[in-house]
Amino acid sequence: MVFFQLLALAGFLAGLYGIYIRYAQTKARAFPADKSPLKGNPSHGIAYAFTKGMMPWAKESTRLHMIAYLRGIGFHIGIFTAIGALIISPFWTLLPSLLSLTLGWALTLGAILGAAGGLMRIVEHNLRGLSIPDDHFAVWLVTVWMAVSAAAVWDEAWMAAYYILSAITMAYVPLGKIRHCLYFFFSRVFFGKFFGRRAVYPHPDVAK
Amino acid sequence: MSDAKLSLDFKGLLCPMPVVKLAQAIKQIQVGEILEAIATDPGVMADIPAWTRSTGHELVSLDKREDKTFKFVVKRLK
Amino acid sequence: MTETIELALKTLEAQLNQPLETALEACARCGLCAESCHYYRAEPKVKHIPAFRAERLRSVYRYEHDFLSRLFPVWTGAKKLDEPTLASLTEIAFSQCTLCRRCTVNCPLGVDTPLMMRAIRAVTTASGTAPEILVMLADAAIEKGKDPSFFKDMFLEQIAEMEEQLRDITGDPTATIPVEKQGAKILYVPLAGAHTILPPAAVFNVAKEDWTLSIFEAANYGVFLADVNRAKQVAKRIVDEANRLGVKEIVIAECGHAYASYRWDVPNWFAGQFDFKVRSLIEVLADYIRDGKIKVDPTAIPEGVTYHDSCNLARNGGLIEEPRYVLKNVVRDFREMTPNRDQAICCGGGGGLVALAEYAERRIAAGKPKAEQIKQTGARIVVAACENCRLQIGDLNERYKLNVQITAITDLVVRAMRLPKPLPGHEAERLFEGEEAAVVRE
Ligand code: SF4
Ligand code: SF4
């Protein structure tokens, strides 16, 4: 098992390094400083972008597609749970049984939500038209990985498969679309700065 | 009334529409031919000469007329 | 590789800064942004989803920059830039996106799609494939700046005539429209045409403002081309004029892109030579009303009035409550469109599209959601504080039979000031009352 654990660790570190390279590459690019006189507050804008602005009721789009948005949020929570689970995987046997049961179910739920997303991508006209092969691959890769994580939490027989799949998934993160997890942070910060400066977000509460 | 190949009516059009329409219309005449147009937006008094200067066509004339309209004549040079 | 393509790629490369790379990388292709775009609302097709548009540029970017895409282009839809692709990018950026940023505020990741559309515009401008008319309009404006003498006399002559009209309207024989007044507090920058000079002149005179009129116009077609070099040259005319006259403040006419660029971009372009406060005329009106510098009759305008948020003023400019404050002071029956403010739907006329005659049909079709919004309010007067919006809503008025009057905020303020004579176009006390409507709209 140690071999498989080391393999997963290698995949994990490769993924982390890849993301770091991406981060450094983007950070090395120019950032246009904005010296225009403030109307609002860019820091408040950034805070808004990561909190209130992410709430399902904050935007027309997420109000309109509430189910899809909540599915996406659930899926992503599942992914972060799975990453946490991977990090503590050598100690799974030490978890109290209730906790490992919960973990297993959380991962299963994540996998179900992932599969729903994968299917939507195939079935739904707009999503299909928008998707590139990488999108389909990425969602199924992560979904299967989460499902196998759940299986491994419950049944040690899955451990080897789990670590191999973990290595592949983690190593793939910086290579394909999954790296949007890094750019999410860049994007929300720029969003917050732009709209915060202009006092568009957060906007003083008024009846709309 | 004149030897213009094309006579256009830009009355009621606001900036930048007279220039937009003029730029389209100039393509319908041959090099060396002229077109004339009438506009009501006083903005043309600056915009049409600026356009001919930057595009290299010739502004033959630009007059303000009694009825508060503006008439201009442009010759296609390129 | 042809020279055009080489130039195009070089321009893309030069623009690749942190925000652009982020926009190119962040999209998860979740499709949530579809309905945020008025093009999609008008015609719900995949090609009108903002993310689909952005993917056209991403495929080119990936081909140049992404490791996996270079090995397996099919995997990520990567594509080498060629002439037909460049032509289709040009068409997308200039006819299928008004740069309204509504998709950005509706994207869970905040992907800046219009930033990518701007990048395309810059690429096409540099490689000589951008719509000719925008280039012409920008160049004509630059020409005016180089040598104002060729139009200045005519301009002053017109201003003198307008001054006569102004005195008539205000009933004040000393009312003036000062031009090139050294040391004035405010430099007011209008658009071409009397309709953006006369109404503010009336307000400035009544408010006893220390102002002077710019001999140039606020519009900047370089901005629409995303051509910073041209845009700077156009803006420089006004920056120089303001410096020469020693004014404290630049006030921009009711114009969306001009406000957004002078308020938020120009200070960056001219850092060090730009010590002016920039305000929109709307902010000035709001202050005058608040400070009692002008008196307005809140019952003066009985018709139902609705306000269209220009994307450049509201979402991209931060001017959201100011116009409402002014309108609520002069209008009896104010009705909001739904949605409004930061979520306002674009009218379809932004991004310089109004000047592109070849895409007029597309633009008017994409304005349908706005037309429906207007209809739902039942208002008879639509106020828009942007010239491009007003032109577009004028077209929508005709196409969708809205039967509304389209006006600027300042015009209504002047009407509510109850001056001795009305502004041209506002002669009737009630613009809509039976037959009167037809007369006024003629
Ligand atoms: S731009 Fe945003 S909302 Fe649209 S598909 Fe991409 S991530 Fe989703
Ligand atoms: S900026 Fe506006 S017009 Fe352009 S894609 Fe986004 S929503 Fe559509």
Short mmCIF file of all heavy atoms in Angstrom, two decimals, chain A residues 51-84:
data_model
loop_
_atom_site.label_atom_id
_atom_site.label_comp_id
_atom_site.label_asym_id
_atom_site.label_seq_id
_atom_site.Cartn_x
_atom_site.Cartn_y
_atom_site.Cartn_z
N THR A 51 -18.38 36.57 -0.78
CA THR A 51 -19.39 36.22 0.22
C THR A 51 -20.80 36.43 -0.33
O THR A 51 -21.33 35.56 -1.02
CB THR A 51 -19.20 37.07 1.49
OG1 THR A 51 -19.15 38.45 1.11
CG2 THR A 51 -17.90 36.70 2.20
N LYS A 52 -21.36 37.61 -0.10
CA LYS A 52 -22.73 37.87 -0.53
C LYS A 52 -22.93 37.63 -2.03
O LYS A 52 -23.96 37.15 -2.45
CB LYS A 52 -23.10 39.33 -0.20
CG LYS A 52 -23.85 39.48 1.10
CD LYS A 52 -24.07 40.94 1.41
CE LYS A 52 -25.49 41.40 1.13
NZ LYS A 52 -25.69 42.80 1.56
N GLY A 53 -21.90 38.01 -2.78
CA GLY A 53 -22.00 37.88 -4.23
C GLY A 53 -22.07 36.44 -4.71
O GLY A 53 -22.40 36.19 -5.87
N MET A 54 -21.73 35.49 -3.84
CA MET A 54 -21.78 34.08 -4.23
C MET A 54 -23.10 33.43 -3.83
O MET A 54 -23.36 32.28 -4.15
CB MET A 54 -20.62 33.29 -3.60
CG MET A 54 -19.26 33.59 -4.15
SD MET A 54 -19.14 33.46 -5.95
CE MET A 54 -19.18 31.68 -6.19
N MET A 55 -23.91 34.16 -3.09
CA MET A 55 -25.17 33.57 -2.62
C MET A 55 -26.10 33.28 -3.80
O MET A 55 -26.14 34.03 -4.76
CB MET A 55 -25.86 34.53 -1.64
CG MET A 55 -25.09 34.72 -0.35
SD MET A 55 -24.85 33.13 0.46
CE MET A 55 -23.32 33.40 1.32
N PRO A 56 -26.84 32.21 -3.69
CA PRO A 56 -27.68 31.80 -4.82
C PRO A 56 -28.71 32.86 -5.22
O PRO A 56 -29.15 32.88 -6.36
CB PRO A 56 -28.40 30.54 -4.31
CG PRO A 56 -27.80 30.18 -3.01
CD PRO A 56 -26.89 31.27 -2.57
N TRP A 57 -29.09 33.73 -4.29
CA TRP A 57 -30.10 34.73 -4.61
C TRP A 57 -29.49 36.05 -5.08
O TRP A 57 -30.19 36.99 -5.40
CB TRP A 57 -31.02 34.97 -3.41
CG TRP A 57 -30.23 35.28 -2.16
CD1 TRP A 57 -29.76 36.50 -1.77
CD2 TRP A 57 -29.81 34.34 -1.16
NE1 TRP A 57 -29.05 36.38 -0.61
CE2 TRP A 57 -29.06 35.07 -0.20
CE3 TRP A 57 -29.97 32.97 -0.99
CZ2 TRP A 57 -28.49 34.46 0.91
CZ3 TRP A 57 -29.41 32.37 0.12
CH2 TRP A 57 -28.68 33.11 1.05
N ALA A 58 -28.16 36.11 -5.12
CA ALA A 58 -27.52 37.40 -5.42
C ALA A 58 -27.60 37.78 -6.90
O ALA A 58 -27.49 38.94 -7.24
CB ALA A 58 -26.07 37.37 -4.97
N LYS A 59 -27.76 36.81 -7.77
CA LYS A 59 -27.70 37.09 -9.21
C LYS A 59 -28.92 36.53 -9.92
O LYS A 59 -29.44 35.49 -9.53
CB LYS A 59 -26.47 36.41 -9.84
CG LYS A 59 -25.14 36.87 -9.30
CD LYS A 59 -24.02 36.23 -10.08
CE LYS A 59 -23.49 34.97 -9.47
NZ LYS A 59 -22.85 35.13 -8.17
N GLU A 60 -29.28 37.19 -10.98
CA GLU A 60 -30.40 36.69 -11.79
C GLU A 60 -30.12 35.27 -12.29
O GLU A 60 -30.97 34.40 -12.25
CB GLU A 60 -30.63 37.62 -12.98
CG GLU A 60 -31.73 37.18 -13.90
CD GLU A 60 -31.71 37.93 -15.22
OE1 GLU A 60 -31.02 37.47 -16.16
OE2 GLU A 60 -32.37 38.96 -15.30
N SER A 61 -28.88 35.05 -12.76
CA SER A 61 -28.54 33.75 -13.35
C SER A 61 -28.73 32.60 -12.37
O SER A 61 -29.27 31.55 -12.71
CB SER A 61 -27.09 33.77 -13.82
OG SER A 61 -26.24 34.05 -12.73
N THR A 62 -28.32 32.81 -11.12
CA THR A 62 -28.42 31.71 -10.16
C THR A 62 -29.84 31.59 -9.61
O THR A 62 -30.24 30.52 -9.17
CB THR A 62 -27.40 31.89 -9.02
OG1 THR A 62 -27.51 33.19 -8.47
CG2 THR A 62 -25.98 31.69 -9.52
N ARG A 63 -30.58 32.69 -9.66
CA ARG A 63 -31.99 32.57 -9.28
C ARG A 63 -32.74 31.76 -10.33
O ARG A 63 -33.58 30.92 -10.04
CB ARG A 63 -32.62 33.96 -9.14
CG ARG A 63 -32.21 34.70 -7.87
CD ARG A 63 -33.12 35.90 -7.61
NE ARG A 63 -33.03 36.90 -8.66
CZ ARG A 63 -32.22 37.95 -8.63
NH1 ARG A 63 -31.42 38.14 -7.59
NH2 ARG A 63 -32.19 38.82 -9.61
N LEU A 64 -32.36 32.01 -11.56
CA LEU A 64 -33.00 31.33 -12.69
C LEU A 64 -32.63 29.85 -12.75
O LEU A 64 -33.42 29.01 -13.12
CB LEU A 64 -32.52 32.03 -13.97
CG LEU A 64 -33.49 32.28 -15.09
CD1 LEU A 64 -34.67 33.08 -14.59
CD2 LEU A 64 -32.78 33.05 -16.20
N HIS A 65 -31.38 29.56 -12.41
CA HIS A 65 -30.89 28.18 -12.48
C HIS A 65 -30.50 27.71 -11.09
O HIS A 65 -29.41 27.20 -10.87
CB HIS A 65 -29.65 28.11 -13.39
CG HIS A 65 -29.92 28.52 -14.80
ND1 HIS A 65 -30.39 27.66 -15.75
CD2 HIS A 65 -29.79 29.71 -15.42
CE1 HIS A 65 -30.54 28.29 -16.90
NE2 HIS A 65 -30.18 29.55 -16.73
N MET A 66 -31.40 27.92 -10.14
CA MET A 66 -31.09 27.63 -8.74
C MET A 66 -30.62 26.19 -8.55
O MET A 66 -29.61 25.93 -7.89
CB MET A 66 -32.33 27.92 -7.89
CG MET A 66 -32.13 27.81 -6.41
SD MET A 66 -31.11 29.14 -5.74
CE MET A 66 -32.31 30.44 -5.48
N ILE A 67 -31.35 25.25 -9.14
CA ILE A 67 -31.02 23.83 -8.94
C ILE A 67 -29.62 23.54 -9.49
O ILE A 67 -28.79 22.93 -8.82
CB ILE A 67 -32.05 22.94 -9.67
CG1 ILE A 67 -33.46 23.30 -9.24
CG2 ILE A 67 -31.72 21.45 -9.47
CD1 ILE A 67 -34.04 22.51 -8.12
N ALA A 68 -29.37 24.01 -10.71
CA ALA A 68 -28.07 23.75 -11.33
C ALA A 68 -26.95 24.38 -10.50
O ALA A 68 -25.88 23.79 -10.32
CB ALA A 68 -28.06 24.30 -12.75
N TYR A 69 -27.21 25.58 -9.99
CA TYR A 69 -26.19 26.26 -9.21
C TYR A 69 -25.91 25.51 -7.90
O TYR A 69 -24.75 25.26 -7.54
CB TYR A 69 -26.62 27.70 -8.92
CG TYR A 69 -25.58 28.53 -8.19
CD1 TYR A 69 -24.34 28.80 -8.77
CD2 TYR A 69 -25.84 29.05 -6.92
CE1 TYR A 69 -23.39 29.57 -8.11
CE2 TYR A 69 -24.89 29.82 -6.26
CZ TYR A 69 -23.67 30.07 -6.85
OH TYR A 69 -22.73 30.83 -6.20
N LEU A 70 -26.98 25.12 -7.22
CA LEU A 70 -26.80 24.39 -5.96
C LEU A 70 -26.12 23.05 -6.22
O LEU A 70 -25.29 22.60 -5.43
CB LEU A 70 -28.14 24.20 -5.25
CG LEU A 70 -28.77 25.51 -4.75
CD1 LEU A 70 -30.13 25.25 -4.10
CD2 LEU A 70 -27.85 26.24 -3.77
N ARG A 71 -26.46 22.43 -7.34
CA ARG A 71 -25.78 21.19 -7.71
C ARG A 71 -24.28 21.44 -7.84
O ARG A 71 -23.45 20.71 -7.30
CB ARG A 71 -26.32 20.63 -9.03
CG ARG A 71 -25.67 19.31 -9.42
CD ARG A 71 -25.58 19.12 -10.93
NE ARG A 71 -24.69 20.08 -11.58
CZ ARG A 71 -23.37 19.97 -11.62
NH1 ARG A 71 -22.76 18.96 -11.02
NH2 ARG A 71 -22.64 20.89 -12.23
N GLY A 72 -23.96 22.52 -8.52
CA GLY A 72 -22.56 22.85 -8.73
C GLY A 72 -21.85 23.11 -7.41
O GLY A 72 -20.74 22.63 -7.17
N ILE A 73 -22.51 23.87 -6.53
CA ILE A 73 -21.92 24.16 -5.23
C ILE A 73 -21.68 22.86 -4.46
O ILE A 73 -20.61 22.61 -3.92
CB ILE A 73 -22.84 25.11 -4.41
CG1 ILE A 73 -23.02 26.44 -5.13
CG2 ILE A 73 -22.33 25.27 -2.98
CD1 ILE A 73 -22.00 27.48 -4.83
N GLY A 74 -22.71 21.99 -4.44
CA GLY A 74 -22.60 20.71 -3.74
C GLY A 74 -21.47 19.87 -4.31
O GLY A 74 -20.66 19.28 -3.57
N PHE A 75 -21.37 19.85 -5.62
CA PHE A 75 -20.32 19.09 -6.31
C PHE A 75 -18.95 19.60 -5.87
O PHE A 75 -18.06 18.83 -5.53
CB PHE A 75 -20.53 19.26 -7.82
CG PHE A 75 -19.47 18.64 -8.69
CD1 PHE A 75 -19.10 17.31 -8.53
CD2 PHE A 75 -18.87 19.38 -9.71
CE1 PHE A 75 -18.14 16.73 -9.37
CE2 PHE A 75 -17.91 18.82 -10.53
CZ PHE A 75 -17.54 17.49 -10.36
N HIS A 76 -18.81 20.91 -5.83
CA HIS A 76 -17.51 21.47 -5.46
C HIS A 76 -17.18 21.26 -3.99
O HIS A 76 -16.03 21.03 -3.63
CB HIS A 76 -17.43 22.95 -5.85
CG HIS A 76 -17.24 23.14 -7.33
ND1 HIS A 76 -18.27 23.08 -8.23
CD2 HIS A 76 -16.11 23.34 -8.07
CE1 HIS A 76 -17.80 23.26 -9.46
NE2 HIS A 76 -16.48 23.42 -9.40
N ILE A 77 -18.21 21.30 -3.14
CA ILE A 77 -17.97 20.97 -1.72
C ILE A 77 -17.49 19.52 -1.63
O ILE A 77 -16.54 19.20 -0.90
CB ILE A 77 -19.24 21.19 -0.87
CG1 ILE A 77 -19.56 22.69 -0.81
CG2 ILE A 77 -19.06 20.63 0.55
CD1 ILE A 77 -20.87 23.03 -0.12
N GLY A 78 -18.13 18.66 -2.42
CA GLY A 78 -17.72 17.26 -2.47
C GLY A 78 -16.26 17.12 -2.88
O GLY A 78 -15.51 16.33 -2.29
N ILE A 79 -15.84 17.91 -3.87
CA ILE A 79 -14.45 17.81 -4.34
C ILE A 79 -13.48 18.20 -3.23
O ILE A 79 -12.49 17.51 -2.99
CB ILE A 79 -14.23 18.72 -5.57
CG1 ILE A 79 -15.09 18.22 -6.75
CG2 ILE A 79 -12.76 18.73 -5.97
CD1 ILE A 79 -15.13 19.15 -7.93
N PHE A 80 -13.81 19.30 -2.54
CA PHE A 80 -12.88 19.72 -1.48
C PHE A 80 -12.88 18.71 -0.33
O PHE A 80 -11.84 18.46 0.28
CB PHE A 80 -13.21 21.15 -1.02
CG PHE A 80 -12.77 22.16 -2.05
CD1 PHE A 80 -13.68 22.84 -2.84
CD2 PHE A 80 -11.40 22.38 -2.26
CE1 PHE A 80 -13.26 23.72 -3.83
CE2 PHE A 80 -10.98 23.26 -3.25
CZ PHE A 80 -11.90 23.94 -4.03
N THR A 81 -14.03 18.11 -0.07
CA THR A 81 -14.09 17.04 0.94
C THR A 81 -13.18 15.88 0.50
O THR A 81 -12.42 15.32 1.31
CB THR A 81 -15.54 16.53 1.09
OG1 THR A 81 -16.39 17.64 1.27
CG2 THR A 81 -15.67 15.57 2.27
N ALA A 82 -13.25 15.55 -0.79
CA ALA A 82 -12.46 14.43 -1.30
C ALA A 82 -10.97 14.72 -1.20
O ALA A 82 -10.17 13.81 -0.90
CB ALA A 82 -12.86 14.14 -2.74
N ILE A 83 -10.60 15.98 -1.44
CA ILE A 83 -9.18 16.32 -1.32
C ILE A 83 -8.74 16.19 0.15
O ILE A 83 -7.69 15.63 0.46
CB ILE A 83 -8.90 17.75 -1.86
CG1 ILE A 83 -9.15 17.77 -3.37
CG2 ILE A 83 -7.45 18.17 -1.56
CD1 ILE A 83 -9.08 19.15 -3.99
N GLY A 84 -9.60 16.70 1.04
CA GLY A 84 -9.31 16.56 2.47
C GLY A 84 -9.19 15.09 2.85
O GLY A 84 -8.27 14.69 3.58
#
